[in-house]
Amino acid sequence: MRIPEPDNHSNLSSSYDSVPEAGPSCVTLDKASHSNGINKENGYSAPVSNGTTSNGSPTMGNGLAKHSSSIPRVSLPGTTLYDDPYLDREEFVRLVIQSLRDVGYIESAATLEAESGYSLEAPVVSEFRQHILRGAWAHAEPLLVELGVTNADALLDARFLIGKQKYLELLEARKTTAALQVLRNDLAPYSTTSEQGELHVLSSLMMCSDPQDLRRRASWDGASGISRRQLLDDLQHYIPSSTMIPQRRFSTLLAQSREYQRYRCLYHNSLVDPSSSSLFSDHTCDKESFPRITTTILEVHSDEVWNVAWSHDGTRLASASKDKTAIIWRIGLEAEPSSRDCIAEFILRDHPYPVGCLAWSLDDSILSTSADHLILLWNTKTGALMKTLENHAETVSALVWLPDGSGFMSGSLDRKIILWDMEGELRESWNDIAIRVTDAAVTPDVRRLVAVGMGYNPPPTLARANIRDASPPIVSNGNGNAVAPRSPENRMIIYDLKTGQVELSVHMEGELTSVKISEDSRYALINHAPDASKEIHLWDLEEFRLARKFTGQRQGHHVIRSCFGGIDGNFVVSGSEDRNVYVWHRDTGTLLEVLEGHGLGSVNSVAWNPRNKRMFASCSDDNTIRVWEAPASAGELLRGFGISAPEPEMIGKGKGKVKQPWAYNDGGL
């Protein structure tokens, strides 16, 4: 917005969270009338009044009279910044003015405003902000139209938000009669169809016993908190941004730039360090910090290793094998692999069948394993078998501990999903579901259960007879999990975990062998082996759509399990039937690495360390487990053994690996 040409310039409006006391340009003010030039209200920094002094001299936002004619206006050709047609000069300058005021450079902002001829905002914007922050609702509401809120629906929504804040504050002040009038006169007329439910909830708040109960039930922090500031942010959605610039807009743009750079950084796997972050250079992560070579090979199993799972504290690794054992490995915390101890702490032998699934309890005190239709619970401190559960009739294909620590769930080819408590007592059983479960996972927010499996429709005659053993014959896939013959009804089913209701059921071609959920509960990663191409699918659980496909690995006959990895879960890692490990960038689908090293057979499962984001493990038909780390760590390991570090190109191919010295406790377990 341009300042009018006459000498009497428009006055500079302060950003409502500005801090003029900061920075070398601060000016000492009359403390009797101002607190560093700012009035603090409702968790917000309310600007001092802009306008003119009592003698008619124009004032700047810091309350000091300035004669604008002392700063000549600079006229520049064109309307864009530099030669970029997409950067409007006025918008840029106004954002700079806002940023200067935000950090406290009030005089500099005033000088830029006068020199450029651009005003940060019209006085009506500052007036509106002050009315909201001071709770002057009757003065604020009429300004909405003047601020550009002319759409009828938008105007109703904005008035509803203001009325809601007014209503809650009256209830908090125990002015029930006045609050009821607001509910009837201000909220009910302005509520849209979508807001009728909220109106009902608001009316129920009349029954709150005290202000604390009100704030708790309304998820609202009260008039003395930041609720008015949040109201301004909500109203911002209805007011044109060119009229009322969003709070700290430059900071938002810089944050978006950082996120975009991290998104474009294919090997991003480091914590954001403010001390090393700079506006003068783009973000980039060194490929050498990515875990690409083997630093440890664990060899105790006597047959194929089908599954691996890290404990939540990242210090122990559990493995499951065709040799009818599970092993709990203790992986040392030492940063350098050369000084790290890797010990087979317990060998869990009491499995009558090969071990397929593994899952750690939330506190890592219990390890659950599956062997055919059995579930076994183990004490991880002693290695003792605590309990054996026999409620499933067919192969148990999924074990997941609930993120809230209330117990765990199991899924099976018998078309059952069972919820158990911490002691292994049955809480609930979902029987005769639509699929023979091959894997399942619970979202970290405990809202959803995602199950994948093979559909099953019994023959009509058997269905009428209600014969329980109407399942197709089970055949072995040679990789730890029995599977039924291929069915055209392979599905992913998303359940509401609380109600058990199906939110989405999607038909998929081919066999579904694995499902993992991202840490933010947004995505489900599904190993998918259709006939034409071997794919891993990334499903968006919020929009219920297929977000991306990852291709390259081989999967046609065996159960292959993938996982998310990295500091932000921005990698997708999977084993493959060609004995390699594949790594993709999650957000772009770019294949980053094909890691060699395992022997003949499939790489069956991978697991990323939840604490050390530069470490993951893989297991294979070659009877081994490999721990992968960055080349820098590997170099330290090799030097510790008196071996020269391999060349980078050899490291990239998984060469130069050594076996860690280790010991194990048998104890007859």
Side-chain angles (χ1 to χ4, degrees):
M1 159 182 324
R2 181 171 288 278
I3 296 177
E5 290 297 329
D7 288 341
N8 186 19
H9 298 311
S10 295
N11 305 300
L12 183 64
S13 299
S14 170
S15 174
Y16 50 84
D17 65 339
S18 58
V19 188
E21 66 267 32
S25 64
C26 76
V27 179
T28 303
L29 303 175
D30 179 4
K31 294 184 179 180
S33 59
H34 299 287
S35 174
N36 293 321
I38 291 294
N39 295 325
K40 300 288 184 179
E41 295 192 26
N42 191 245
Y44 239 99
S45 300
V48 298
S49 299
N50 290 313
T52 58
T53 61
S54 58
N55 62 7
S57 300
T59 65
M60 297 306 166
N62 58 10
L64 297 180
K66 294 286 183 180
H67 199 283
S68 57
S69 62
S70 63
I71 303 175
R73 180 177 300 178
V74 177
S75 296
L76 299 175
T79 60
T80 61
L81 190 68
Y82 311 124
D83 295 326
D84 191 333
Y86 298 103
L87 287 179
D88 181 84
R89 183 192 300 134
E90 177 181 348
E91 291 184 357
F92 175 79
V93 171
R94 290 174 64 193
L95 290 184
V96 173
I97 293 171
Q98 183 194 52
S99 301
L100 289 172
R101 297 189 65 81
D102 284 345
V103 299
Y105 296 125
I106 308 303
E107 289 189 53
S108 298
T111 300
L112 178 57
E113 184 183 48
E115 190 173 30
S116 65
Y118 299 127
S119 174
L120 175 62
E121 293 168 334
V124 67
V125 176
S126 179
E127 183 182 354
F128 178 76
R129 280 203 178 105
Q130 293 182 48
H131 289 328
I132 292 293
L133 295 176
R134 293 168 182 169
W137 315 119
H139 296 291
E141 188 174 313
L143 296 178
L144 288 170
V145 174
E146 192 174 345
L147 291 172
V149 186
T150 56
N151 178 273
D153 291 337
L155 193 58
L156 285 177
D157 289 344
R159 285 173 173 169
F160 185 87
L161 290 174
I162 293 175
K164 176 182 174 182
Q165 179 74 18
K166 180 181 178 181
Y167 170 75
L168 292 173
E169 291 193 15
L170 287 171
L171 282 183
E172 185 183 37
R174 313 301 289 171
K175 298 179 180 180
T176 308
T177 302
L180 183 59
Q181 291 179 347
V182 171
L183 187 67
R184 290 174 176 172
N185 302 329
D186 295 357
L187 292 177
Y190 294 150
S191 63
T192 61
T193 302
S194 62
E195 291 166 340
Q196 290 298 319
E198 184 178 6
L199 189 65
H200 178 73
V201 173
L202 289 173
S203 64
S204 70
L205 297 177
M206 284 277 186
M207 307 304 295
C208 291
S209 57
D210 53 47
Q212 183 177 358
D213 184 37
L214 168 70
R215 291 189 289 268
R216 179 183 59 80
R217 290 177 57 182
S219 300
W220 178 71
D221 69 349
S224 61
I226 62 169
S227 60
R228 293 179 183 175
R229 172 181 178 176
Q230 183 60 50
L231 174 60
L232 268 176
D233 289 342
D234 293 339
L235 291 171
Q236 179 76 64
H237 297 296
Y238 304 99
I239 300 172
S241 57
S242 59
T243 300
M244 187 168 83
I245 301 174
Q247 178 194 13
R248 297 180 179 177
R249 181 59 183 164
F250 238 142
S251 178
T252 299
L253 293 174
L254 292 175
Q256 292 173 354
S257 174
R258 285 194 299 270
E259 286 301 313
Y260 177 74
Q261 290 181 30
R262 290 171 65 180
Y263 166 80
R264 296 293 299 174
C265 179
L266 296 181
Y267 284 91
H268 176 70
N269 196 31
S270 60
L271 291 170
V272 177
D273 182 4
S275 63
S276 61
S277 179
S278 173
L279 295 177
F280 300 137
S281 60
D282 291 342
H283 168 82
T284 182
C285 286
D286 188 354
K287 181 179 178 179
E288 295 303 305
S289 64
F290 184 83
R292 311 188 273 122
I293 70 167
T294 300
T295 57
T296 305
I297 302 175
L298 306 175
E299 293 180 290
V300 170
H301 286 295
S302 59
D303 210 328
E304 299 171 1
V305 188
W306 288 341
N307 212 338
V308 286
W310 289 97
S311 60
H312 293 87
D313 65 7
T315 64
R316 288 178 289 179
L317 180 69
S319 57
S321 173
K322 186 180 178 181
D323 66 9
K324 302 181 183 180
T325 70
I327 297 178
I328 297 177
W329 306 84
R330 180 167 293 279
I331 309 297
L333 295 175
E334 293 77 8
E336 295 184 6
S338 58
S339 58
R340 180 186 300 146
D341 290 328
C342 297
I343 300 171
E345 194 170 35
F346 299 108
I347 300 180
L348 312 178
R349 299 186 182 278
D350 294 338
H351 297 89
Y353 309 102
V355 185
C357 299
L358 297 161
W360 293 83
S361 64
L362 200 63
D363 62 0
D364 293 330
S365 65
I366 301 173
L367 178 71
S368 57
T369 62
S370 71
D372 198 69
H373 65 289
L374 304 176
I375 300 172
L376 295 86
L377 303 181
W378 304 86
N379 184 319
T380 61
K381 295 181 180 179
T382 65
L385 176 63
M386 300 166 56
K387 199 168 189 176
T388 300
L389 309 175
E390 303 184 35
N391 296 64
H392 285 289
E394 297 185 43
T395 300
V396 175
S397 51
L399 291 173
V400 183
W401 286 81
L402 300 179
D404 61 3
S406 61
F408 68 98
M409 57 77 56
S410 60
S412 168
L413 294 179
D414 63 6
R415 297 167 54 222
K416 283 186 182 180
I417 292 176
I418 300 179
L419 302 179
W420 311 83
D421 66 16
M422 287 291 294
E423 286 70 40
E425 297 296 327
L426 190 148
R427 289 168 46 192
E428 186 179 356
S429 181
W430 301 355
N431 299 327
D432 299 323
I433 64 173
I435 56 174
R436 294 161 59 81
V437 178
T438 55
D439 200 8
V442 175
T443 57
D445 61 10
V446 204
R447 290 175 53 204
R448 295 184 172 108
L449 168 68
V450 182
V452 297
M454 301 167 287
Y456 168 62
N457 296 314
T461 54
L462 293 178
R464 286 194 298 269
N466 195 26
I467 297 176
R468 182 176 181 82
D469 296 327
S471 304
I474 300 174
V475 297
S476 173
N477 68 353
N479 196 19
N481 284 36
V483 298
R486 292 187 178 184
S487 163
E489 293 300 323
N490 294 320
R491 287 187 173 274
M492 172 186 71
I493 303 179
I494 302 175
Y495 295 92
D496 182 299
L497 187 60
K498 184 177 181 180
T499 66
Q501 297 298 310
V502 174
E503 293 186 353
L504 180 70
S505 179
V506 180
H507 167 68
M508 293 183 174
E509 296 293 337
E511 296 172 0
L512 313 176
T513 63
S514 169
V515 57
K516 292 292 187 297
I517 307 295
S518 60
E519 291 183 3
D520 61 2
S521 301
R522 180 67 185 266
Y523 297 106
L525 187 66
I526 299 174
N527 273 63
H528 190 155
D531 294 331
S533 60
K534 320 309 176 187
E535 300 172 338
I536 300 174
H537 287 184
L538 184 72
W539 276 84
D540 189 317
L541 299 181
E542 295 301 322
E543 299 182 6
F544 292 147
R545 65 179 180 87
L546 178 62
R548 194 158 291 105
K549 296 180 181 180
F550 306 96
T551 61
Q553 92 290 6
R554 290 179 55 191
Q555 180 179 357
H557 305 287
H558 296 169
V559 173
I560 303 294
R561 302 181 189 274
S562 58
C563 73
F564 292 99
I567 196 73
D568 296 321
N570 53 322
F571 302 122
V572 169
V573 190
S574 179
S576 174
E577 292 181 6
D578 62 4
R579 69 184 183 181
N580 295 323
V581 176
Y582 287 74
V583 185
W584 297 265
H585 186 250
R586 186 192 73 183
D587 293 331
T588 64
T590 302
L591 179 61
L592 301 178
E593 300 287 342
V594 179
L595 305 176
E596 301 177 0
H598 276 292
L600 295 177
S602 297
V603 177
N604 302 311
S605 180
V606 290
W608 205 283
N609 191 303
R611 292 300 178 90
N612 183 350
K613 298 300 184 178
R614 296 184 177 182
M615 174 189 289
F616 72 90
S618 61
C619 63
S620 167
D621 287 348
D622 66 4
N623 306 353
T624 70
I625 302 154
R626 288 177 174 252
V627 177
W628 301 81
E629 295 182 79
S633 300
E636 294 295 333
L637 170 65
L638 296 173
R639 285 190 290 274
F641 280 84
I643 303 173
S644 299
E647 295 299 321
E649 60 269 22
M650 295 179 64
I651 295 177
K653 297 178 181 178
K655 304 295 185 181
K657 295 174 285 295
V658 301
K659 297 178 182 179
Q660 270 282 62
W662 49 262
Y664 64 89
N665 299 327
D666 191 338
L669 297 176

